[in-house]
Amino acid sequence: MHANLRRNLILFLAGLLVAFIGWRVGPGSVPAPSSEVGRGRLVFPGLAAKLPAVTRIAIESAGKTIVLRPRPLQSQGGGQGGAGVGGWGLEERGLYPVRTDKLRAMLSGLTLLRQVSPRTADPRLYSRIGVEDPAAAGGASTGVSLFDAGGKLVAALIVGHQRVRAAGGLPDEIYIRRPGHRRSWLAQGALTVDADPQLWLQRGIVDIARDRIASVTVHRDATTLRFVARAGKLVLASPKTHPPLDAYKLDDLAGALQALTLEDVAPASTEPGKPVGSSVFRTSDGLAITVRAFRDGADLWAQFEASGKGAAPLAARLRGWTYRLGGWMERQLVPTLAELAPTPPAGAAPIPPASAGPAAAGPAAATAPAATTPKGPTSQGSAAPGSAAPGSAAPGSAAPGSAAPGSAAPGSAGPSGTVHGTATPGTTMPKTTAPGTTAPGTTAPGTTAPGTTAPGTTAPGTTAPATGTPRTVPPNGKAPNGKAIQGKAKIGSRSMEAAALPGAPSAGSPAPAEAAAAAAAVASYTGR
């Protein structure tokens, strides 16, 4: 019996030993594939602590590269904020300030980016998710590399396509690949890396509300125009004699510096084109902005200088730069008198100048200024001011529809076919016939029945129906459809320059403490 117990005990212990050995050397001890180990990990662990050492950021796409670098103190231009004391600048634009909010968003995205699942390791399939070599021409990928002061690589990543999510409320996902690695990944996080230099520039130039403008002086083509503000509107004070000006265009001149943005920028070391003119905008609180404009083909370039009360910060920011603006801004910054004239309506002839017409015979003849009817189809029957009453003839004057020898009755056709009288703006001119002829559909001259109006005229206070194509005289020279809209193509805005970091984490995003720590590190690095 003791032998059986001993044997059972030995077998039991042997089974335990086998189970223990199997557990130690079984599947649980086999190392997981590298793709499984990387699942859920940060792409760049500890990057937030390394950011203070970064002094150069290179972004490459389709074989073209832009570089962001900290700006030295002497070129800070008004203190835009950023790494070091001078902020960050774009090397390809002479270190012109870049958008701090965009830089912060990119660095935050790199710091918080997390691997989700492995994707293709076949180079032939890289282009499908946008992770091919960013140095290749025509590629869709974008590469970003961070370097320290010694040129050592701190972090590098190839950024591909965003993953389209059908459902809302899901975290952002993007395809990535580490340079030199075959395996690509689907990563979680908001990351935007742009290789277009235009998207990095701080767009705002100057922002002065039109109601602050007290005067504008324009020097153009050996002519000086001086405008002053009266009752909140600009009026031309010099020269005093000038043609009529469009009030809407004067309003555009007053608002030329309001929310003014650039299309591109270059250092002001050389003039970018042929000088066009200059102008000085003065505000009611003592600030003066001098503008020098240059034309280079279809592009308008301008240099700005600020002086006067409180101008120091703005002057430092504007100094040393030449800005490319929309070509249409020439009419607002350095306009000519011709460019400020009212715009005639489409298809309408210019309003003819007023001239004195021949006096009609007899005491009932009118002496009002006369205008000449433009040739062409007109409406019938509009009574000209100063004409005789319909259906009757004043003593010593010609009856309606006929002409006295050597003179023409008001509202009737003279020997040359010209109608005398004043055309009221906004009305149509009467259609008339030469003396001795009868208009179609009318009675012979001088055969008006009692109580009726003469042919070719209308009763007072009425308007004859128009025939043919009437020619309208615009009231006061204004276009009937109003002012042609002229506004700035606001590429940038003040809201674009506000610092912004990723908001509250969504489902599956980094823990609040981790996100807050990374955001604080990025903000300290880019905005100290």
Side-chain angles (χ1 to χ4, degrees):
M1 179 176 181
H2 291 287
N4 291 335
L5 290 175
R6 186 182 302 169
R7 185 183 60 180
N8 292 337
L9 181 59
I10 292 173
L11 292 175
F12 176 72
L13 293 176
L16 288 177
L17 181 60
V18 171
F20 176 75
I21 294 174
W23 174 73
R24 289 299 303 271
V25 302
S29 65
V30 177
S34 60
S35 61
E36 298 298 326
V37 173
R39 190 188 299 269
R41 292 181 54 188
L42 289 173
V43 177
F44 299 110
L47 178 59
K50 302 176 184 177
L51 286 180
V54 175
T55 60
R56 182 173 180 268
I57 301 174
I59 303 175
E60 183 179 19
S61 181
K64 298 180 180 180
T65 303
I66 63 173
V67 176
L68 311 180
R69 289 198 292 110
R71 306 173 69 222
L73 176 62
Q74 61 268 25
S75 65
Q76 66 178 353
Q80 293 299 305
V85 293
W88 283 77
L90 184 62
E91 193 173 80
E92 287 69 26
R93 295 297 185 274
L95 291 185
Y96 186 81
V98 299
R99 291 171 45 195
T100 303
D101 66 310
K102 190 174 183 66
L103 178 61
R104 288 183 177 181
M106 183 184 72
L107 295 177
S108 296
L110 288 172
T111 302
L112 299 174
L113 199 63
R114 190 178 296 274
Q115 296 176 167
V116 174
S117 60
R119 287 298 188 262
T120 182
D122 187 350
R124 295 173 298 178
L125 303 179
Y126 286 164
S127 60
R128 295 189 180 183
I129 56 176
V131 295
E132 66 273 21
D133 186 0
S141 65
T142 303
V144 55
S145 303
L146 282 59
F147 301 90
D148 63 13
K152 181 181 178 181
L153 185 64
V154 176
L157 189 67
I158 298 174
V159 182
H161 300 320
Q162 295 277 349
R163 184 186 183 189
V164 179
R165 311 301 298 273
L170 297 176
D172 295 329
E173 291 183 340
I174 191 170
Y175 295 101
I176 62 170
R177 184 171 65 88
R178 301 283 290 270
H181 291 231
R182 293 176 59 89
R183 175 66 59 187
S184 60
W185 281 84
L186 177 65
Q188 177 184 298
L191 176 61
T192 301
V193 182
D194 289 311
D196 185 354
Q198 299 286 343
L199 300 177
W200 284 97
L201 300 176
Q202 290 186 4
R203 295 285 177 182
I205 301 175
V206 65
D207 187 9
I208 299 178
R210 68 187 67 214
D211 56 9
R212 289 181 57 193
I213 300 298
S215 68
V216 180
T217 303
V218 179
H219 304 279
R220 177 83 181 266
D221 300 333
T223 301
T224 298
L225 308 177
R226 186 172 181 271
F227 304 85
V228 296
R230 294 175 183 170
K233 299 290 185 180
L234 282 184
V235 296
L236 182 58
S238 177
K240 294 184 177 181
T241 302
H242 57 82
L245 303 181
D246 192 320
Y248 292 109
K249 295 180 180 180
L250 291 175
D251 195 45
D252 286 340
L253 174 62
L257 301 183
Q258 183 168 334
L260 182 62
T261 57
L262 61 86
E263 290 184 352
D264 205 347
V265 66
S269 55
T270 58
E271 294 182 353
K274 180 181 179 182
V276 174
S278 63
S279 58
V280 180
F281 293 76
R282 300 183 186 276
T283 67
S284 55
D285 52 2
L287 178 65
I289 304 294
T290 301
V291 184
R292 284 182 288 272
F294 307 87
R295 173 65 71 172
D296 181 21
D299 296 328
L300 181 73
W301 293 79
Q303 297 173 353
F304 298 84
E305 179 182 340
S307 59
K309 183 179 178 181
L314 180 59
R317 184 161 59 85
L318 297 175
R319 186 181 303 119
W321 301 107
T322 303
Y323 302 90
R324 193 185 80 192
L325 311 174
W328 48 269
M329 282 299 298
E330 180 179 332
R331 300 190 300 271
Q332 296 188 18
L333 292 173
V334 285
T336 63
L337 276 180
E339 291 170 339
L340 294 174
T343 304
I351 302 175
S355 60
T367 60
T372 302
T373 305
K375 295 181 180 181
T378 58
S379 60
Q380 293 187 10
S382 296
S387 61
S392 63
S397 63
S402 64
S407 64
S412 63
S416 62
T418 301
V419 176
H420 301 286
T422 302
T424 303
T427 63
T428 54
M429 300 298 295
K431 179 178 180 180
T432 59
T433 57
T437 63
T438 303
T442 62
T443 59
T447 58
T448 306
T452 63
T453 57
T457 65
T458 58
T462 63
T463 303
T467 61
T469 305
R471 185 179 299 279
T472 301
V473 180
N476 301 324
K478 295 293 191 302
N481 60 345
K483 165 183 172 288
I485 297 176
Q486 297 180 1
K488 285 185 273 298
K490 298 182 180 175
I491 304 173
S493 66
R494 295 296 178 262
S495 61
M496 292 174 64
E497 299 175 11
L501 289 174
S506 56
S509 58
E514 182 184 53
V522 171
S524 175
Y525 169 61
T526 59
R528 67 182 180 185

